[in-house]
Amino acid sequence: KNQVEQSPQSLIILEGKNCTLQCNYTVSPFSNLRWYKQDTGRGPVSLTIMTFSENTKSNGRYTATLDADTKQSSLHITASQLSDSASYICVVVENTGFQKLVFGTGTRLLVSP
Amino acid sequence: KAGVTQTPRYLIKTRGQQVTLSCSPISGHRSVSWYQQTPGQGLQFLFEYFSETQRNKGNFPGRFSGRQFSNSRSEMNVSTLELGDSALYLCASSLASGDYNEQFFGPGTRLTVL
């Protein structure tokens, strides 16, 4: 069964600190992997999209990595800010020709002052 | 360019009623997908429309239906509402269907079924 698992489920860090969120997947055939940020009560916003051949992709203070061999991805947040408090969702897209997205359950991050 | 808009933003209904949610995609986007988000199940795919045709469908009962108009706007209908249908319904648009097309999500419609 195609699944996406994220860890930890929730995380509290102090403002200014770094953190890393993990994503493991079993989705096959693989097309691409996306990280989304979702503020409470809002729609998800895309942070990065990575294809099979990409190992690292950055978007400001967000850096995503992908190891397609071990089917693992991580999202590293540098110098966290209060506005980083949100849910971070890992999404793997199946290679079907359609928009077939498999969602992780997300990591809820709280940045504390 | 305006983002994806969804109306209404909040909705309260009672069991047995039906509801219609609306989604206007980003101008020029032809693919619209619908998702249900609940605390227990996370985000789950409902269906995708492209050029007025349903291209893909998730594992939801037939009470959930949708359609897309020639201007790419889409509606989702839920009939005979159940308490478990309470959720945030998200719509996402992309330029075209297919694996690599980035999806842009709307703010969602929060449906509460009493």
Side-chain angles (χ1 to χ4, degrees):
Chain A
K1 183 182 175 184
N2 284 336
Q3 286 185 310
V4 177
E5 294 182 352
Q6 293 186 243
S7 61
Q9 276 190 319
S10 60
L11 185 61
I12 301 175
I13 61 173
L14 289 174
E15 186 179 10
K17 297 295 186 182
N18 304 335
C19 68
T20 300
L21 314 180
Q22 300 290 343
C23 173
N24 296 334
Y25 62 93
T26 60
V27 177
S28 181
F30 174 90
S31 174
N32 60 85
L33 185 145
R34 309 174 183 185
W35 282 94
Y36 284 91
K37 176 187 178 187
Q38 185 176 24
D39 293 313
T40 303
R42 308 291 296 272
V45 174
S46 178
L47 295 174
T48 62
I49 300 176
M50 287 189 294
T51 60
F52 185 88
S53 58
E54 295 175 294
N55 299 117
T56 304
K57 193 164 243 187
S58 291
N59 178 359
R61 295 179 296 102
Y62 300 100
T63 299
T65 66
L66 173 63
D67 185 334
D69 291 330
T70 61
K71 298 188 176 181
Q72 295 180 324
S73 176
S74 66
L75 180 69
H76 186 75
I77 304 174
T78 304
S80 61
Q81 300 176 357
L82 297 179
S83 59
D84 292 331
S85 295
S87 288
Y88 291 84
I89 304 171
C90 175
V91 182
V92 180
V93 182
E94 287 187 44
N95 186 7
T96 62
F98 301 110
Q99 292 273 7
K100 186 87 183 291
L101 277 63
V102 184
F103 292 85
T105 52
T107 292
R108 195 167 190 85
L109 174 67
L110 176 63
V111 180
S112 175
Chain B
K1 200 182 253 189
V4 178
T5 58
Q6 292 186 245
T7 57
R9 291 294 312 278
Y10 302 92
L11 206 49
I12 298 176
K13 292 284 186 179
T14 56
R15 278 182 299 175
Q17 287 187 308
Q18 77 164 22
V19 67
T20 299
L21 312 181
S22 181
C23 171
S24 292
I26 292 172
S27 178
H29 285 195
R30 295 170 61 193
S31 171
V32 173
S33 297
W34 287 90
Y35 299 90
Q36 182 195 66
Q37 187 174 31
T38 58
Q41 299 292 323
L43 271 153
Q44 293 184 286
F45 170 73
L46 281 156
F47 26 66
E48 180 201 2
Y49 286 89
F50 178 75
S51 293
E52 302 178 66
T53 302
Q54 188 181 87
R55 294 206 71 196
N56 203 3
K57 190 175 188 303
N59 297 323
F60 278 81
R63 300 185 296 109
F64 291 82
S65 63
R67 58 178 176 168
Q68 186 180 34
F69 302 96
S70 57
N71 61 359
S72 294
R73 190 177 70 84
S74 178
E75 287 183 348
M76 190 191 93
N77 185 275
V78 188
S79 62
T80 320
L81 284 166
E82 301 177 359
L83 294 179
D85 296 334
S86 294
L88 180 67
Y89 289 88
L90 291 160
C91 142
S93 77
S94 58
L95 276 170
S97 186
D99 308 342
Y100 294 96
N101 286 276
E102 184 176 2
Q103 289 194 330
F104 296 85
F105 284 82
T109 293
R110 171 73 64 186
L111 172 65
T112 302
V113 181
L114 302 175

